[in-house]
């Protein structure tokens, strides 16, 4: 398990994304496979580069609901019609 974690950490630096949507898809795949902290980091990276992308906040809200954290209020305030 430790070796697997180290390999994932080393592979992260080789990742490049052409669009924020592509980056989001990767974050969702991390979340779906149970790599919650990696997914949270990827959503954070998206928001660092694109602070107004509402779908990254929605991804974080889903992640927070899975892990027990709350972020729904800020998500809804960004895109109340979604």
């Amino acid at each position: 398990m430790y070796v697997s974690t180290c390999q994932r950490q080393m592979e992260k630096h080789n990742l490049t994304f052409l669009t924020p949507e592509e980056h989001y898809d990767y974050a969702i795949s991390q979340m779906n496979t149970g790599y919650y902290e990696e997914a949270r980091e990827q959503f954070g990276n998206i928001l660092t580069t694109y602070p107004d992308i509402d779908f990254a906040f929605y991804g974080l809200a889903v992640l927070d609901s899975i892990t027990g954290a709350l972020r729904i209020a800020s998500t809804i305030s960004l895109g109340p019609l979604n």
Side-chain angles (χ1 to χ4, degrees):
M1 185 170 167
Y2 178 74
V3 172
S4 174
T5 301
C6 290
Q7 287 173 334
R8 269 199 332 271
Q9 287 288 55
M10 290 186 324
E11 291 170 0
K12 280 192 336 187
H13 299 289
N14 297 330
L15 298 174
T16 56
F17 303 101
L18 300 177
T19 66
E21 291 83 6
E22 189 177 280
H23 198 165
Y24 174 80
D25 289 342
Y26 177 74
I28 291 294
S29 72
Q30 292 293 301
M31 183 173 61
N32 288 341
T33 54
Y35 300 126
Y36 301 130
E37 290 308 310
E38 290 88 343
R40 188 175 310 284
E41 182 180 332
Q42 294 303 319
F43 288 127
N45 292 342
I46 294 168
L47 292 170
T48 298
T49 307
Y50 306 96
D52 295 329
I53 299 245
D54 63 348
F55 57 80
F57 282 100
Y58 284 101
L60 275 172
V62 170
L63 181 59
D64 288 347
S65 71
I66 291 170
T67 60
L70 296 174
R71 192 184 310 263
I72 284 292
S74 63
T75 301
I76 292 172
S77 69
L78 282 173
L81 300 177
N82 289 333

